[in-house]
Amino acid sequence: MSFAKLAVLAAVAAPALAHMKMTDPKPFRYDTDSDYLAALSQPAQFPCKGYAGDGGPATGTLTAGSTFSVQLSGSAVHGGGSCQFSLSYDGGKTFGVIHQIIGNCPTENQKFDVPVPAGLPSAQGAIFAWTWFNKIGNREIYMNCAPVDVMGSSGSMELPRMFEANIPGGGGCTVPETTDVDFNNPQLTNCPSPITPDQKVTVGSGAPTTSTGTTAPTGGETTTPTGGDDPCPTESDGGEPTGTPTGTTMPTGTATPPTTGGGNAWDAAKVYVSGDSACYNSQTYTAKWWTQGETPGAGDVWGTPAGAC
């Protein structure tokens, strides 16, 4: 076979290899969809490859205040990128984020222990979603979803709304190539209505709703794009990282009771986003990014205290 023919075959095969999929919990139609490794390819596939209405028995159970095991499969990871893990209580109409990783997500055949927020409401027939925005290559969104049950409280909870971009044919938000999406401060093009961290989804008792804040949070860590912002770049070559991820993770941790500070006292059940402040042990702390249940002063998310409260 000639070198030219080999080059053509390699070019055709490369995109098919550069894909990832969730294998556990087992997604909708996993046994019948022969193209589960692929990114979403048409508007009708958002969300969940178009399978959100399938229903069926749960393939996993999340327990509030614990961790939930998620397994990915695949070897070529488009230089990594950023991932979110979300839940829908309304059949896929809205999704709320319970955990996110900025940078080096995913790596080859990666397994995650996803923190489940303490106080998360119970549900049967909820939908668990993994979304991925690749760093290198065509501007794509990967989204696999699975039916799950949730063991938790009887109330409700506010969660950050799942980030949306690179939806095929949608004519909407696009993230630039060669940079990891910072969900707290995303760099976007062609984006009339961006998803911001202050937009929330209420899950649990009553009909789930979405809310939009009036002011986007400030501060936090910002990732500056190093490549172009062409909404339709072509596939790029580049090394694929392997091993344990080193990106920034936003765990939820285990809740503990709030302390001093009156109305601004830290609340373990409350979601804080970049720029939010809370009083703990008579000291004021400011969140650097999305967090819930992480005690101020015990991790990087809160930084050092700004003063007495």
Coordinates of all heavy atoms in Angstrom, one line a residue, residues 67-123:
T67 N -19.2 9.3 48.4 CA -18.7 9.5 47.0 C -19.3 8.5 46.1 O -19.9 7.5 46.5 CB -17.1 9.3 47.0 OG1 -16.8 8.0 47.5 CG2 -16.4 10.3 47.9
F68 N -19.2 8.8 44.8 CA -19.9 8.0 43.8 C -18.8 7.6 42.7 O -18.2 8.5 42.2 CB -21.0 8.7 43.2 CG -21.8 8.0 42.1 CD1 -22.5 6.8 42.4 CD2 -21.9 8.4 40.8 CE1 -23.2 6.1 41.5 CE2 -22.6 7.7 39.8 CZ -23.2 6.5 40.2
S69 N -18.6 6.4 42.5 CA -17.6 5.9 41.5 C -18.1 6.1 40.1 O -19.1 5.6 39.7 CB -17.3 4.4 41.8 OG -16.3 4.0 40.9
V70 N -17.2 6.7 39.3 CA -17.5 6.9 37.9 C -16.3 6.4 37.1 O -15.1 6.8 37.3 CB -17.8 8.4 37.5 CG1 -18.0 8.6 36.0 CG2 -19.0 8.9 38.3
Q71 N -16.5 5.5 36.1 CA -15.4 5.0 35.3 C -15.6 5.5 33.8 O -16.6 5.4 33.2 CB -15.5 3.5 35.3 CG -14.4 2.8 34.5 CD -13.0 3.0 35.0 OE1 -12.7 2.7 36.2 NE2 -12.1 3.5 34.2
L72 N -14.5 6.0 33.3 CA -14.4 6.3 31.9 C -13.5 5.3 31.1 O -12.6 4.7 31.7 CB -13.8 7.7 31.7 CG -14.6 8.9 32.4 CD1 -13.9 10.2 32.0 CD2 -16.0 8.9 32.0
S73 N -13.8 5.2 29.8 CA -13.0 4.3 29.0 C -12.5 5.1 27.7 O -13.3 5.9 27.2 CB -13.8 3.1 28.6 OG -13.1 2.2 27.7
G74 N -11.3 4.8 27.3 CA -10.8 5.5 26.1 C -9.3 5.8 26.3 O -8.8 5.8 27.5
S75 N -8.6 6.0 25.3 CA -7.2 6.2 25.4 C -6.7 7.6 24.9 O -5.8 8.2 25.4 CB -6.4 5.1 24.7 OG -6.7 5.0 23.3
A76 N -7.3 8.1 23.8 CA -6.9 9.4 23.2 C -7.8 10.4 23.8 O -9.0 10.4 23.5 CB -6.9 9.3 21.7
V77 N -7.3 11.4 24.5 CA -8.1 12.3 25.3 C -8.1 13.8 24.8 O -8.4 14.6 25.6 CB -7.7 12.2 26.8 CG1 -8.1 10.8 27.3 CG2 -6.3 12.5 27.0
H78 N -7.6 14.0 23.6 CA -7.7 15.4 23.1 C -6.9 16.4 24.0 O -7.4 17.5 24.2 CB -9.1 15.9 22.9 CG -9.8 15.4 21.6 ND1 -9.3 15.8 20.4 CD2 -10.8 14.6 21.4 CE1 -10.1 15.3 19.4 NE2 -11.0 14.5 20.0
G79 N -5.9 16.0 24.6 CA -5.1 16.9 25.5 C -5.8 17.1 26.8 O -5.4 18.1 27.5
G80 N -6.8 16.4 27.2 CA -7.5 16.6 28.4 C -8.6 17.6 28.2 O -9.3 17.6 27.2
G81 N -8.8 18.5 29.1 CA -9.8 19.5 29.1 C -10.5 19.6 30.5 O -9.8 19.5 31.5
S82 N -11.8 19.9 30.5 CA -12.5 20.1 31.7 C -13.8 19.3 31.7 O -14.4 19.2 30.7 CB -12.8 21.6 32.0 OG -11.6 22.4 32.0
C83 N -14.2 18.8 32.9 CA -15.3 17.9 33.1 C -16.3 18.4 34.2 O -15.8 19.1 35.1 CB -14.9 16.5 33.4 SG -13.8 15.7 32.3
Q84 N -17.6 18.1 34.0 CA -18.5 18.3 35.1 C -19.3 17.0 35.3 O -19.5 16.3 34.3 CB -19.5 19.5 34.7 CG -18.9 20.9 34.8 CD -19.9 22.0 34.7 OE1 -20.8 21.9 33.9 NE2 -19.7 23.1 35.4
F85 N -19.8 16.8 36.5 CA -20.7 15.7 36.9 C -21.9 16.3 37.4 O -21.9 17.1 38.4 CB -20.0 14.8 37.9 CG -18.6 14.3 37.4 CD1 -17.5 15.0 37.7 CD2 -18.6 13.1 36.7 CE1 -16.3 14.5 37.2 CE2 -17.4 12.6 36.3 CZ -16.2 13.3 36.5
S86 N -23.1 16.0 36.8 CA -24.3 16.7 37.1 C -25.5 15.7 37.3 O -25.4 14.6 37.0 CB -24.7 17.7 36.0 OG -23.6 18.5 35.7
L87 N -26.5 16.3 37.9 CA -27.8 15.5 38.2 C -29.0 16.2 37.6 O -29.0 17.5 37.8 CB -28.0 15.2 39.6 CG -27.1 14.1 40.3 CD1 -27.3 14.1 41.8 CD2 -27.5 12.7 39.7
S88 N -29.9 15.5 37.1 CA -31.2 16.0 36.7 C -32.3 15.3 37.4 O -32.3 14.1 37.5 CB -31.4 15.9 35.2 OG -32.7 16.3 34.8
Y89 N -33.2 16.1 38.0 CA -34.3 15.5 38.7 C -35.6 15.6 37.9 O -36.7 15.3 38.4 CB -34.5 16.2 40.1 CG -33.6 15.7 41.2 CD1 -32.2 15.8 41.0 CD2 -34.1 15.3 42.4 CE1 -31.4 15.4 42.0 CE2 -33.2 14.9 43.4 CZ -31.9 14.9 43.2 OH -31.0 14.6 44.3
D90 N -35.5 16.2 36.7 CA -36.7 16.5 35.9 C -36.7 15.9 34.5 O -37.1 16.5 33.5 CB -37.0 18.0 35.9 CG -35.8 18.8 35.3 OD1 -34.8 18.1 34.9 OD2 -35.9 20.0 35.2
G91 N -36.0 14.7 34.4 CA -36.0 14.0 33.1 C -35.1 14.6 32.1 O -35.3 14.4 30.9
G92 N -34.1 15.4 32.5 CA -33.1 16.0 31.6 C -33.4 17.4 31.1 O -32.7 17.9 30.3
K93 N -34.5 18.0 31.7 CA -34.7 19.4 31.3 C -33.7 20.4 31.9 O -33.3 21.3 31.3 CB -36.1 19.8 31.8 CG -37.3 19.0 31.1 CD -38.6 19.4 31.7 CE -39.8 18.6 31.1 NZ -41.1 19.0 31.7
T94 N -33.3 20.1 33.2 CA -32.3 20.9 33.8 C -31.3 20.0 34.5 O -31.6 18.9 35.0 CB -32.9 21.9 34.8 OG1 -33.6 21.1 35.8 CG2 -33.8 22.9 34.2
F95 N -30.0 20.4 34.6 CA -29.0 19.7 35.3 C -28.3 20.6 36.2 O -27.9 21.7 35.9 CB -28.0 19.1 34.3 CG -28.5 17.9 33.5 CD1 -29.2 18.1 32.3 CD2 -28.2 16.6 33.9 CE1 -29.7 17.1 31.6 CE2 -28.6 15.6 33.1 CZ -29.4 15.8 32.0
G96 N -28.0 20.1 37.5 CA -27.3 20.8 38.5 C -25.9 20.1 38.7 O -25.9 18.9 38.8
V97 N -24.9 20.9 38.8 CA -23.5 20.3 39.0 C -23.2 19.9 40.4 O -23.5 20.7 41.4 CB -22.5 21.4 38.5 CG1 -21.0 20.8 38.7 CG2 -22.7 21.7 37.1
I98 N -22.7 18.7 40.6 CA -22.3 18.3 42.0 C -20.8 18.3 42.1 O -20.2 18.2 43.2 CB -22.9 16.9 42.4 CG1 -22.4 15.8 41.4 CG2 -24.4 17.0 42.4 CD1 -22.8 14.4 41.9
H99 N -20.0 18.3 41.0 CA -18.6 18.2 41.0 C -18.0 18.6 39.7 O -18.7 18.4 38.6 CB -18.1 16.8 41.4 CG -16.6 16.7 41.6 ND1 -16.0 17.3 42.6 CD2 -15.7 15.9 41.0 CE1 -14.7 17.0 42.6 NE2 -14.5 16.2 41.6
Q100 N -16.9 19.3 39.7 CA -16.3 19.7 38.4 C -14.7 19.6 38.5 O -14.2 19.8 39.6 CB -16.7 21.0 38.0 CG -16.4 22.2 38.9 CD -17.1 23.5 38.5 OE1 -18.1 23.5 37.8 NE2 -16.5 24.6 38.9
I101 N -14.1 19.4 37.4 CA -12.6 19.3 37.3 C -12.2 20.3 36.2 O -12.6 20.1 35.1 CB -12.1 17.9 37.1 CG1 -12.6 17.0 38.3 CG2 -10.6 17.9 37.0 CD1 -12.2 15.5 38.0
I102 N -11.3 21.2 36.5 CA -10.8 22.1 35.5 C -9.3 21.7 35.2 O -8.4 21.8 36.0 CB -10.8 23.5 36.0 CG1 -12.3 23.9 36.3 CG2 -10.2 24.5 35.0 CD1 -12.4 25.3 37.0
G103 N -9.1 21.2 34.0 CA -7.8 20.8 33.5 C -7.5 19.4 33.7 O -7.8 18.7 34.7
N104 N -6.8 18.8 32.7 CA -6.4 17.4 32.7 C -7.5 16.4 33.0 O -7.4 15.4 33.7 CB -5.3 17.1 33.7 CG -3.9 17.7 33.3 OD1 -3.7 17.8 32.1 ND2 -3.1 18.0 34.2
C105 N -8.7 16.7 32.5 CA -9.8 15.8 32.6 C -10.4 15.6 31.2 O -10.8 16.5 30.5 CB -10.9 16.4 33.5 SG -12.3 15.2 33.7
P106 N -10.5 14.3 30.8 CA -10.0 13.1 31.4 C -8.6 12.7 31.0 O -8.0 13.3 30.1 CB -11.0 12.1 31.0 CG -11.3 12.5 29.5 CD -11.2 14.0 29.5
T107 N -8.1 11.7 31.7 CA -6.9 11.0 31.3 C -7.4 9.6 30.8 O -8.6 9.3 30.9 CB -5.9 10.9 32.4 OG1 -6.5 10.1 33.5 CG2 -5.4 12.2 32.9
E108 N -6.4 8.8 30.4 CA -6.8 7.5 29.9 C -7.5 6.6 30.9 O -7.0 6.5 32.0 CB -5.5 6.7 29.4 CG -4.9 7.4 28.2 CD -3.7 6.6 27.6 OE1 -3.6 5.4 28.0 OE2 -2.9 7.1 26.9
N109 N -8.6 6.0 30.5 CA -9.3 5.0 31.3 C -9.4 5.5 32.8 O -9.1 4.7 33.7 CB -8.6 3.6 31.2 CG -8.6 3.1 29.8 OD1 -9.6 3.2 29.1 ND2 -7.5 2.6 29.4
Q110 N -9.9 6.7 33.0 CA -9.8 7.3 34.3 C -11.0 6.9 35.2 O -12.2 6.8 34.7 CB -9.8 8.8 34.1 CG -9.5 9.6 35.4 CD -9.3 11.0 35.1 OE1 -9.4 11.5 34.0 NE2 -9.0 11.8 36.2
K111 N -10.8 6.7 36.5 CA -11.8 6.5 37.4 C -11.9 7.6 38.4 O -10.9 8.2 38.9 CB -11.5 5.2 38.2 CG -12.6 4.8 39.2 CD -12.3 3.5 39.9 CE -13.4 3.2 40.9 NZ -13.2 1.9 41.6
F112 N -13.1 8.1 38.7 CA -13.3 9.2 39.6 C -14.1 8.7 40.9 O -15.0 7.9 40.7 CB -14.1 10.3 39.0 CG -13.5 10.9 37.7 CD1 -13.8 10.3 36.5 CD2 -12.7 11.9 37.8 CE1 -13.3 10.8 35.3 CE2 -12.1 12.5 36.6 CZ -12.4 11.9 35.4
D113 N -13.8 9.3 42.0 CA -14.7 9.2 43.2 C -15.3 10.5 43.4 O -14.7 11.4 44.0 CB -13.9 8.8 44.4 CG -13.4 7.3 44.3 OD1 -14.2 6.5 43.9 OD2 -12.3 7.0 44.8
V114 N -16.5 10.7 42.8 CA -17.2 12.0 42.8 C -17.8 12.3 44.1 O -18.6 11.5 44.6 CB -18.2 12.0 41.7 CG1 -19.0 13.3 41.7 CG2 -17.6 11.8 40.3
P115 N -17.5 13.4 44.8 CA -18.1 13.7 46.1 C -19.6 14.1 45.8 O -19.9 14.8 44.9 CB -17.3 15.0 46.5 CG -16.1 15.0 45.7 CD -16.4 14.4 44.4
V116 N -20.4 13.5 46.7 CA -21.9 13.8 46.6 C -22.2 14.7 47.7 O -21.9 14.4 48.9 CB -22.7 12.4 46.7 CG1 -24.2 12.7 46.6 CG2 -22.2 11.4 45.7
P117 N -22.8 15.9 47.4 CA -23.1 16.9 48.5 C -24.0 16.3 49.6 O -24.9 15.5 49.4 CB -23.9 17.9 47.7 CG -23.5 17.8 46.3 CD -23.3 16.3 46.1
A118 N -23.6 16.6 50.8 CA -24.4 16.3 52.0 C -25.7 17.1 51.9 O -25.7 18.3 51.5 CB -23.7 16.7 53.3
G119 N -26.8 16.5 52.2 CA -28.1 17.1 52.1 C -28.8 17.0 50.7 O -29.8 17.6 50.5
L120 N -28.1 16.3 49.8 CA -28.7 16.2 48.4 C -30.0 15.4 48.6 O -30.1 14.4 49.3 CB -27.8 15.4 47.5 CG -28.1 15.3 46.0 CD1 -28.0 16.7 45.4 CD2 -27.3 14.3 45.3
P121 N -31.1 15.9 47.9 CA -32.4 15.3 48.1 C -32.5 13.9 47.5 O -31.8 13.6 46.5 CB -33.4 16.2 47.4 CG -32.6 17.5 47.3 CD -31.2 17.2 47.2
S122 N -33.3 13.0 48.0 CA -33.5 11.7 47.5 C -34.3 11.7 46.2 O -35.1 12.7 46.0 CB -34.3 10.8 48.5 OG -33.5 10.6 49.7
A123 N -34.1 10.7 45.4 CA -34.8 10.7 44.1 C -34.7 9.3 43.5 O -33.7 8.6 43.7 CB -34.3 11.7 43.1

